[in-house]
């Protein structure tokens, strides 16, 4: 797999976010065994040291756990996964709000613009559904 | 033994010109280190010192815990920046030559890699394109099982997919018992596999650090940190 990394952000950070995303979306399930450091390094085409660091940090956050001699596994704690989902959503929204503010939008304008866009998107999906029939 | 390469306070003058100025570099096992600097900053002089071609005026080099001596040279796999292969040889003869010359050379691995790079081993070196010669040289050096890899410009003249293969080969080669020091001008292509970088200017290390640390401190890629450091201009990254 070829992932395009953004070189200005720490690579380990970007990989942690990719793995978290895979957990939230259910691509990795609670209790699943993670790839070995070598395999993961191969997958993302990065230095194995970067992956070691990723694994250490994921474990520190209790997102994964290691069983001696068995490997690293995804947490089976559903609350943890939910918490992760909320954390990632918060961070997306946080960035979005900052961007909108930098464009000069006020709080109510930001909320209105979200509402408008959600409705528009829903309509366009519905219309597409109709025209397909 | 923490470091496989330790360069302590290396100094070198050519006439009045200082080419290395109290240079310190350490490379630990398992690490891929980028030595980055403009042309003429002293990178190749340093490499020639590590491999014993040039003696320092002062300072010392420790390789795998030992002072530099002929036996330590065997632990170093060096790819110089210029073609060092005999052009009249066929590729398969070059492979045999390497196998005879270096006891740590894996002839099967090298042959497989060279073929997978699309090089015909029955051709003579001189009939290969510039890029193919580079691919051949990189494949040869990474097929040694050395403790220290010193690679001067592994990506130059190499096509895009070839560069991907070389980066993969680099990752396949590194292990906890080996270390690599790589120079390149194509920083953006390879920076994601560097653990640490040293920026060298006029024979002096002007900045060093762990890559991800530098990125998060400065919010910039290593390539743009290089631009900022060497052009002395502020660089805004979008």
């Amino acid at each position: 797999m070829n992932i395009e990394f953004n070189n200005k952000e720490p690579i380990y950070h970007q990989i942690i976010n990719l793995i978290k995303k895979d957990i939230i979306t259910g691509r990795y399930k609670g209790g699943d065994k993670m790839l070995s450091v070598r395999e993961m390094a191969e997958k993302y085409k990065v230095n194995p040291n970067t992956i070691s660091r990723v694994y250490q940090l994921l474990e520190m956050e209790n997102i994964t756990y290691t069983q001696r001699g068995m490997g690293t596994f995804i947490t089976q704690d559903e609350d943890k996964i939910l918490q992760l989902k909320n954390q990632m959503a918060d961070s997306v929204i946080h960035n979005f709000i900052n961007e909108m503010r930098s464009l000069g939008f006020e709080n109510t304008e930001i909320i209105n613009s979200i509402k408008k866009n959600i409705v528009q998107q829903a309509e366009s999906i519905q219309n597409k559904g109709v025209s397909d029939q | 033994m923490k470091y496989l390469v330790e360069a302590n306070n290396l100094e070198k003058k050519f006439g009045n010109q200082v080419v290395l100025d109290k240079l310190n570099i350490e490379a630990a096992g398992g690490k891929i280190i980028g030595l980055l600097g403009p042309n003429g900053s002293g990178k190749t002089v340093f490499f020639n010192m590590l491999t014993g071609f040039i003696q320092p005026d002062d300072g010392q080099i420790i390789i795998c815990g030992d002072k530099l001596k002929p036996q330590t040279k065997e632990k170093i796999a060096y790819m110089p920046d210029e073609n060092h292969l005999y052009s009249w040889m066929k590729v398969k003869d070059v492979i045999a030559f390497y196998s005879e010359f270096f006891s740590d050379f894996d002839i099967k691995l090298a042959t497989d890699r060279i073929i997978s790079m699309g090089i015909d081993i029955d051709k003579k070196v001189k009939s290969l394109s510039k890029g193919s010669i580079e691919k051949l040289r990189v494949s040869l050096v990474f097929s040694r099982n050395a403790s220290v890899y010193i690679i001067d410009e592994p990506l130059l003249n190499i096509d895009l997919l070839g560069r991907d293969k070389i980066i993969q080969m680099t990752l396949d080669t590194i292990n906890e018992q080996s270390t690599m020091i790589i120079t390149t001008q194509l920083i953006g292509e390879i920076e994601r596999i560097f653990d640490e970088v040293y920026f060298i200017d006029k024979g002096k290390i002007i900045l060093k650090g762990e890559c991800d640390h530098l990125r998060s401190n400065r919010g910039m890629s290593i390539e743009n940190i290089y631009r900022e450091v060497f052009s002395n201009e502020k660089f805004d990254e979008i």
Side-chain angles (χ1 to χ4, degrees), chain A:
Chain A
M1 178 167 47
N2 267 311
I3 301 270
E4 201 168 348
F5 288 106
N6 157 8
N7 280 335
K8 72 177 180 178
E9 236 186 277
I11 309 289
Y12 76 88
H13 201 222
Q14 297 176 58
I15 295 175
I16 286 179
N17 282 337
L18 287 169
I19 294 175
K20 284 180 174 174
K21 236 180 187 166
D22 280 344
I23 296 173
I24 290 169
T25 56
R27 256 187 82 192
Y28 292 152
K29 299 208 167 35
D32 275 2
K33 188 171 189 278
M34 309 261 293
L35 296 175
S36 72
V37 169
R38 271 268 161 200
E39 289 164 339
M40 202 59 120
E42 179 108 351
K43 175 175 168 183
Y44 288 120
K45 306 231 183 317
V46 296
N47 192 310
N49 292 318
T50 306
I51 302 293
S52 296
R53 185 160 183 188
V54 164
Y55 278 25
Q56 273 169 23
L57 291 167
L58 286 173
E59 193 157 344
M60 267 166 63
E61 283 192 59
N62 293 321
I63 292 163
T64 59
Y65 60 94
T66 304
Q67 274 191 330
R68 199 181 279 270
M70 304 274 287
T72 303
F73 298 84
I74 311 277
T75 182
Q76 283 165 307
D77 181 349
E78 296 287 334
D79 289 342
K80 185 77 213 173
I81 295 173
L82 192 66
Q83 188 193 338
L84 203 59
K85 191 168 181 172
N86 289 328
Q87 267 174 12
M88 287 195 86
D90 283 346
S91 124
V92 170
I93 292 169
H94 186 82
N95 289 339
F96 166 75
I97 293 173
N98 282 344
E99 287 269 319
M100 292 296 277
R101 290 227 172 98
S102 78
L103 293 174
F105 280 73
E106 301 289 343
N107 287 352
T108 42
E109 288 175 299
I110 295 175
I111 292 167
N112 288 338
S113 130
I114 291 179
K115 280 183 183 160
K116 191 183 85 189
N117 274 278
I118 283 185
V119 171
Q120 275 175 356
Q121 266 194 16
E123 278 172 2
S124 94
I125 289 166
Q126 219 170 25
N127 289 340
K128 213 176 155 209
V130 170
S131 67
D132 279 351
Q133 280 169 2

Side-chain angles (χ1 to χ4, degrees), chain B residues 59-71:
Chain B
Q60 64 173 0
I61 292 170
I62 310 279
I63 303 285
C64 304
D66 284 325
K67 275 192 185 168
L68 205 59
K69 55 182 185 235
Q71 295 93 303

